[in-house]
Amino acid sequence: MSIKTALFATSALLLATSATAYADIPVGHLADQSGATSDVGVPYAQGVADALAYINSKGGINGTKLAVDTVDYGYQAPRAISQYKKWSSGSDKIAALQGWGTADTEALTGFVGKDEIPAYSGSYSGHLTDPTGKGPHGSKPAPYNFFYGPSYSDALRGMLMWAAEDWKKQGGQGKPKYVHMGANHPYPNAPKDAGEQLAKELGFEVLPAVQFALTPGDYTAQCLTLKQSGVNYAYLGNTAGSNISVLKACQTVGAKVQFMGNVWGMDENAAKAAGAAADGVVFPMRTAVTWNGDAPGMKTLKDISKMSDAAGTAYRPVHYMAGVCTAFIMKEAMDWASKNGGVTGPNIRKAMYQKKDWVPAGLEGVCVPSTWTENDHRGMTAVNIYRAKVGGDTGAGVDELVKAGTIKLEKLTTVDVPRKPEWLGW
């Protein structure tokens, strides 16, 4: 069974396990199963779907099942908005939304705020972190937007802080050169200004941004630009699919660059596909372990995985695990809401502020502690920085490659990014 087929099967199971639409808690689930970011969207969405199915199998929200409607919107923001309007009207209005991309999530911010529907997204845009809209950068108020992980901006800040120290350790002379790379799109652009400003403050020479599309292609020209300009550190703002093309092209032309991927820009599948070209890529990770890691919560995670892989043989990448953490945070917020006035949007939102250093029960050592407040939706500012290591042929399956040590995701450090007021919403 393919991953996409498994996702559809899990979605059907979620609907089948719902007793009646009237009594259940409606949840909308926007997924990219076929669009430009489906390379990472599919495993993330499968994690969300499996987690919600598992929650239903254990009684749902204090005895009430979740009625989950998963829709593949193909990473097309207009389709996401149209689908949201269907979900947010009528008697079966959704209680919460599990979303995905930056363009659609930012476009829906005003709608979910007006409709009081909590939206848990796969977008970590810093623009979604200011619930009041009173921050210094004029971001729209995002009182009902939440995500699990450091914002794109804080993750990039953390990597730049690491890079500044790395430059010194490597004995670098003069100012290191930094460049932002990615498509001219809300997702890769989200942290661009924040990253370039901090890079200048840290002593980098910031070069003009280099664009490349969200889809795989021939990016030899971009790599030649990096080589000719002597770039030392480059941020890859796209998802893994197109990043792989860049890594391979730059390896071919001999561009010696320390690449820093965004959170969706590198994982085990990308390391396999890119092979030796992925060796050394640095990226942020928002779970405390990988699939074969040792943590108390791994037993629960493996049980969740069996919702779409009964045999328990699938290797799940880090994005799947993040989807599970996101779904379980929503679940526990709903648990609290059900005991404090009912599972409504305002009560779910209020529940998000009840815990500090929040790790969902049963997922200890897997999900990273998070804290949201009424005035600050930056759930975490600690950035766990990892490096992809690839040594040898990557023709085997991911599980085999990881077990053999051919592919490793090695933790380098944790950077505690300052929670500066002036960085809220940016």
Side-chain angles (χ1 to χ4, degrees):
M1 181 185 292
S2 70
I3 295 176
K4 292 183 181 181
T5 303
L7 181 51
F8 282 117
T10 308
S11 301
L13 176 62
L14 283 165
L15 292 173
T17 54
S18 301
T20 63
Y22 175 80
D24 296 339
I25 300 169
V27 175
H29 179 199
L30 287 171
D32 181 12
Q33 298 163 260
S34 59
T37 63
S38 59
D39 55 321
V40 291
V42 168
Y44 177 83
Q46 189 67 63
V48 171
D50 284 355
L52 299 181
Y54 178 85
I55 290 163
N56 272 350
S57 75
K58 299 297 182 181
I61 307 300
N62 294 320
T64 302
K65 298 291 181 68
L66 299 169
V68 183
D69 186 14
T70 299
V71 172
D72 172 18
Y73 75 107
Y75 205 61
Q76 299 295 318
R79 289 171 61 183
I81 294 168
S82 176
Q83 182 59 48
Y84 171 80
K85 289 181 177 180
K86 293 178 184 177
W87 281 334
S88 59
S89 61
S91 58
D92 56 349
K93 173 183 173 181
I94 57 174
L97 173 68
Q98 285 284 336
W100 175 240
T102 298
D104 40 283
T105 301
E106 290 189 353
L108 288 170
T109 297
F111 291 107
V112 299
K114 176 178 176 293
D115 298 332
E116 299 183 321
I117 295 175
Y120 298 83
S121 69
S123 169
Y124 305 153
S125 170
H127 304 143
L128 305 171
T129 61
D130 184 0
T132 66
K134 296 178 181 178
H137 297 282
S139 295
K140 292 189 297 184
Y144 279 82
N145 287 92
F146 301 93
F147 56 79
Y148 164 78
S151 71
Y152 294 142
S153 298
D154 281 340
L156 177 51
R157 289 179 178 117
M159 288 191 292
L160 285 168
M161 292 175 187
W162 167 84
E165 292 301 314
D166 179 67
W167 180 250
K168 295 176 185 176
K169 290 179 181 178
Q170 300 299 329
Q173 301 297 312
K175 286 188 173 184
K177 295 181 179 181
Y178 166 75
V179 67
H180 178 102
M181 300 182 68
N184 186 19
H185 180 279
Y187 152 51
N189 282 343
K192 179 178 178 293
D193 292 343
E196 290 181 343
Q197 176 175 307
L198 181 62
K200 291 176 183 176
E201 293 175 5
L202 291 172
F204 288 84
E205 178 184 346
V206 177
L207 302 182
V210 174
Q211 291 187 12
F212 67 103
L214 279 170
T215 50
D218 181 1
Y219 300 120
T220 301
Q222 286 85 343
C223 290
L224 288 172
T225 296
L226 299 186
K227 184 177 181 180
Q228 292 162 4
S229 58
V231 170
N232 304 110
Y233 297 89
Y235 174 74
L236 296 173
N238 291 357
T239 59
S242 54
N243 287 352
I244 291 167
S245 295
V246 170
L247 293 172
K248 287 185 173 181
C250 287
Q251 181 187 45
T252 299
V253 303
K256 304 297 183 182
V257 180
Q258 174 60 68
F259 288 104
M260 303 182 294
N262 77 94
V263 72
W264 300 110
M266 179 53 59
D267 66 355
E268 302 94 327
N269 290 329
K272 168 181 164 55
D279 187 47
V281 174
V282 168
F283 64 101
M285 204 169 83
R286 66 264 195 240
T287 54
V289 292
T290 57
W291 187 247
N292 290 334
D294 183 15
M298 285 305 300
K299 181 182 184 304
T300 301
L301 192 63
K302 298 276 174 101
D303 288 343
I304 292 168
S305 176
K306 290 179 182 177
M307 299 307 297
S308 61
D309 174 44
T313 58
Y315 182 93
R316 303 297 193 179
V318 291
H319 305 314
Y320 175 95
M321 298 166 67
V324 171
C325 292
T326 304
F328 264 76
I329 286 167
M330 182 190 77
K331 180 262 186 190
E332 291 196 353
M334 287 181 167
D335 283 340
W336 186 93
S338 72
K339 299 172 184 176
N340 292 273
V343 186
T344 65
N347 286 340
I348 296 171
R349 175 175 178 253
K350 189 181 297 183
M352 292 297 296
Y353 309 137
Q354 301 304 311
K355 296 182 180 182
K356 185 177 181 180
D357 297 328
W358 183 354
V359 175
L363 293 170
E364 293 81 5
V366 174
C367 304
V368 176
S370 304
T371 304
W372 293 269
T373 70
E374 292 183 9
N375 296 312
D376 192 337
H377 282 191
R378 288 176 286 188
M380 66 179 81
T381 56
V383 180
N384 293 317
I385 298 178
Y386 280 68
R387 189 194 298 275
K389 299 294 292 181
V390 181
D393 181 78
T394 58
V398 171
D399 192 20
E400 296 175 52
L401 293 170
V402 171
K403 286 180 180 177
T406 306
I407 290 176
K408 297 178 182 178
L409 303 184
E410 295 183 341
K411 185 174 181 179
L412 293 178
T413 188
T414 297
V415 177
D416 290 313
V417 175
R419 190 180 288 270
K420 293 184 177 182
E422 60 267 30
W423 286 352
L424 179 65
W426 187 46

